[in-house]
Amino acid sequence: MKKHLFASVGVALLLGCTDTKKQEKDLLNQVIAVHDKVMANDEQLMKNKMLLDSLVKNNAPNINKDTAKVYLKLVDDADNAMSDWMHKFDAENKGKSHQEIMDYLEAQKKLISKIDTQINVAVTGSTKYITQIPAKK
């Protein structure tokens, strides 16, 4: 009887460990999925950043320089937030308990989702501004 009890406990522990690893992997995949979505907008963010930077540095006569600087800051802040997140993100989580890993990944998911919103706002606003700039005469 004791052998069956130990065997049952052993199987339960193995299945429990497997389940926690699956939970961690699933949550990590959710974080990475948001990251990948954010990166899809990164190209447009960089294009807008270069255009705005060029307009401000070259004192383009057909723009309001203060407004262009506001959009440039919006784009810069979004780019910096993403870059900062990528440098600090730890996908390995070595030496942490299951709960610590889950808490960390939940926090990272919220943070990268916030950055996604920030980038979307920056891309949408700066693109609208850039497309409304009158052409040079």
Side-chain angles (χ1 to χ4, degrees):
M1 184 70 167
K2 286 184 181 180
K3 288 181 184 179
H4 292 291
L5 180 62
F6 286 123
S8 296
V9 169
V11 169
L13 284 174
L14 284 175
L15 290 176
C17 289
T18 302
D19 192 39
T20 59
K21 291 296 179 195
K22 183 179 181 334
Q23 289 173 344
E24 292 168 9
K25 184 177 181 186
D26 288 347
L27 187 51
L28 175 62
N29 286 340
Q30 291 173 27
V31 172
I32 298 302
V34 177
H35 164 269
D36 292 347
K37 180 179 175 270
V38 172
M39 291 307 292
N41 289 327
D42 191 59
E43 183 178 345
Q44 187 62 49
L45 187 72
M46 291 299 99
K47 284 180 183 179
N48 289 3
K49 184 177 179 177
M50 289 188 301
L51 281 168
L52 289 165
D53 190 53
S54 177
L55 290 169
V56 169
K57 283 184 179 176
N58 294 327
N59 286 322
N62 52 340
I63 67 158
N64 178 319
K65 193 172 181 179
D66 291 335
T67 304
K69 284 181 180 181
V70 167
Y71 283 106
L72 182 58
K73 180 167 179 11
L74 189 68
V75 169
D76 269 337
D77 289 349
D79 180 42
N80 289 336
M82 183 60 186
S83 183
D84 188 47
W85 181 85
M86 287 176 52
H87 284 102
K88 291 180 180 177
F89 182 68
D90 177 16
E92 293 183 21
N93 292 299
K94 290 183 180 181
K96 293 182 180 177
S97 71
H98 170 68
Q99 191 58 52
E100 289 172 325
I101 292 170
M102 295 300 287
D103 291 346
Y104 174 76
L105 291 174
E106 279 294 339
Q108 293 304 303
K109 184 177 172 185
K110 287 178 186 173
L111 184 57
I112 193 65
S113 294
K114 182 180 173 186
I115 293 168
D116 179 40
T117 300
Q118 184 180 4
I119 287 177
N120 287 332
V121 167
V123 167
T124 301
S126 61
T127 298
K128 184 177 179 184
Y129 173 75
I130 290 167
T131 57
Q132 291 178 350
I133 295 173
K136 289 182 183 179
K137 294 181 181 182

